[in-house]
Amino acid sequence: MQLTVIGTGYLGAVHAACMADLGHDVLGVDVDAAKIEKLAAGQTPFFEPGLPAVLARALASGNLRFSTSLEEAGAHGEVHFICVGTPQQAGSQAADMQFVDAVVDGLAPHLRPGSLVVGKSTVPVGTAARIVSRIAELTPPGSGVEVAWNPEFLREGFAVHDTMTPDRLVVGVQSEWAERQLRAVYAAALEAGTPWVKADLTTAELVKVSANAFLATKISFINAMAEICEEIGGDVHTLAEALGHDARIGRRFLSAGLGFGGGCLPKDIRAFSARAKELGLGQSVAFLDAVDEINLRCRDRVMSAARDLVGGTFTDRRVAVLGAAFKPNSDDVRDSPALHVARALIEAGADVRIHDPEATENARSILSAADYTTDVLKAVEGSDVVLHLTEWQDYRDLDPTALAGLTRTPRLLDARNALDVHRWRSAGWAVHTLGRPLV
Ligand code: NAD
């Protein structure tokens, strides 16, 4: 099919490359000319495992091209995927819809009769209905253009896998024709048995924000239990293990630590809460404000534990920060808990050196006051405390014995509860993890 993917960031670049790799004729479109130039040359503008190979294959097949022109997009596509960003608005909890609106306004006059405009961006409920009206205003009567919603659930770090083999496909459609078009787009996944959930536009929008609200709630639940454990002398790890054996609860997303961040969960729960308030339904999701507060308190708890570990002050203290990305296998630093802590450490007077396997360049662009290194040994050298803030495999593979000799004092705060505590302690480290009383 002739597809366009508008917005070629973390979501759109992967979607465009994968759809082309599956045999569709795809045009990727973005306003960022430098990004488009890179993608057209086969260079991925961000770190995503597996994407370079898919992009190279798709370009070589001739199925994938890139452009900055919405006019070209209109001429090319029978199905258009809107994948632009919906960040948090400055000074508000609500989503900033200017990028989605700009695409709709820019694309509508160029749409071919009978084309389908499919939203993939995560949006406040009611956006699709608004776009239906806007497109009706901007296209000639009887043009047969329809709008559908197809929320995306990919995880950065596993984006290619999740796009090629999603655990479900959700489509909000207004007609059987629109559903048939989307079934044709996703024929390969459907043949492999991927569950297909057909919904109305509103429900499809709601699926995405409620999925993120649920995941965020589960993470904040266990982090609230960690706060309690720290005060009363419990052990949140044993607690999570015991809870996780209950099939109704499950162990996933029940690891206490520094909490969630990134370009999705934090802004999505805030936007959901803001939209619910607009609709007079604020009470129904009032718990999301508590979820957000618990999550942000994780960062404060890490600061306070780190301060205790270095003797009550950060002045003249060297802190090694392991991790800058909001999660491993990504270079995305949007609302990264690790960088939030790093910034707070600097503000508190610490001398901070940050290591990350992939994200140092992105981190430097938003936190220039820190010292960065791509050599983890250099980060740890001369430190008074090591903070493990993003759980890359690289850090699990470190040799704690070799590292201990490099520090001023071998102290570790494992804020992701991902390192082998016994191994580090046997190598002479004082180790503290969240959710247990401070050692
Ligand atoms: P991103 O910031 O990486 O990418 C957005 C892209 O849109 C940028 O390249 C930007 O230049 C481009 N853009 C902005 N205005 C444009 C316009 N008028 N025309 C064409 N392109 C334009 O964001 P992202 O992480 O890819 O997220 C995009 C959307 O997908 C968001 O709504 C997000 O919530 C949702 N989402 C993201 C993920 C994820 O893991 N990143 C997963 C599921 C859903």
Side-chain angles (χ1 to χ4, degrees), residues 6-11 30-32 35 83-86 99 102-103 121-122 152 154 156 208 264 267 334:
I6 303 167
T8 55
Y10 285 93
L11 161 59
D30 205 288
V31 283
D32 183 340
K35 194 176 271 186
C83 299
V84 295
T86 48
F99 307 106
V103 169
S121 300
T122 304
E152 178 58 54
L154 69 79
E156 287 175 26
K208 175 63 190 177
C264 291
K267 62 104 175 153
R334 289 177 288 184

Side-chain angles (χ1 to χ4, degrees), residues 5-308:
V5 176
I6 303 167
T8 55
Y10 285 93
L11 161 59
V14 176
H15 191 65
C18 289
M19 290 300 115
D21 200 33
L22 290 170
H24 296 300
D25 179 9
V26 180
L27 181 70
V29 179
D30 205 288
V31 283
D32 183 340
K35 194 176 271 186
I36 285 299
E37 207 171 295
K38 265 194 155 181
L39 284 164
Q43 295 162 17
T44 50
F46 50 86
F47 175 76
E48 181 60 47
L51 181 59
V54 180
L55 179 65
R57 257 197 328 263
L59 287 168
S61 71
N63 285 344
L64 180 60
R65 288 181 306 112
F66 289 95
S67 168
T68 53
S69 161
L70 284 176
E71 188 174 351
E72 200 180 335
H76 175 85
E78 48 189 319
V79 177
H80 302 273
F81 288 100
I82 301 179
C83 299
V84 295
T86 48
Q88 187 175 336
Q89 259 177 46
S92 152
Q93 302 276 82
D96 183 347
M97 297 305 295
Q98 62 165 311
F99 307 106
V100 171
D101 293 344
V103 169
V104 171
D105 285 6
L107 179 66
H110 306 297
L111 286 168
R112 280 165 31 183
S115 44
L116 182 65
V117 175
V118 184
K120 250 193 173 325
S121 300
T122 304
V123 293
V125 170
T127 300
R130 202 163 55 71
I131 292 177
V132 169
S133 312
R134 187 70 184 142
I135 287 185
E137 276 169 42
L138 295 171
T139 51
S143 66
V145 172
E146 265 195 44
V147 173
W149 217 264
N150 170 218
E152 178 58 54
F153 304 97
L154 69 79
R155 299 160 299 167
E156 287 175 26
F158 303 91
V160 171
H161 169 273
D162 291 350
T163 304
M164 291 299 203
T165 52
D167 49 18
R168 80 289 213 189
L169 285 160
V170 178
V171 295
V173 288
Q174 296 179 289
S175 72
E176 284 180 13
W177 169 79
E179 185 183 4
R180 274 199 306 279
Q181 291 293 83
L182 285 167
R183 279 186 176 273
V185 169
Y186 292 118
L190 287 173
E191 224 161 274
T194 306
W196 179 262
V197 182
K198 178 186 167 184
D200 53 62
L201 295 177
T202 303
T203 307
E205 292 169 322
L206 190 59
V207 170
K208 175 63 190 177
V209 288
S210 54
N212 278 357
F214 188 86
L215 294 173
T217 302
K218 202 169 174 192
I219 296 169
S220 278
F221 173 81
I222 200 67
N223 283 326
M225 296 307 109
E227 286 180 355
I228 292 171
C229 285
E230 280 165 18
E231 288 305 315
I232 65 171
D235 182 335
V236 78
H237 309 279
T238 312
L239 180 77
E241 189 195 336
L243 291 175
H245 284 301
D246 186 330
R248 295 168 304 175
I249 298 174
R251 179 67 180 78
R252 297 189 68 191
F253 277 67
L254 221 48
S255 296
L258 181 50
F260 57 83
C264 291
L265 286 195
K267 62 104 175 153
D268 287 348
I269 60 167
R270 289 171 199 153
F272 192 6
S273 174
R275 182 65 180 140
K277 283 171 192 152
E278 276 170 20
L279 295 168
L281 295 166
Q283 262 201 326
S284 302
V285 291
F287 65 94
L288 288 180
D289 298 339
V291 164
D292 198 9
E293 283 163 20
I294 293 165
N295 189 55
L296 294 176
R297 277 207 303 275
C298 295
R299 305 171 185 193
D300 298 339
R301 282 168 42 233
V302 166
M303 277 298 288
S304 131
R307 187 181 283 107
D308 288 350

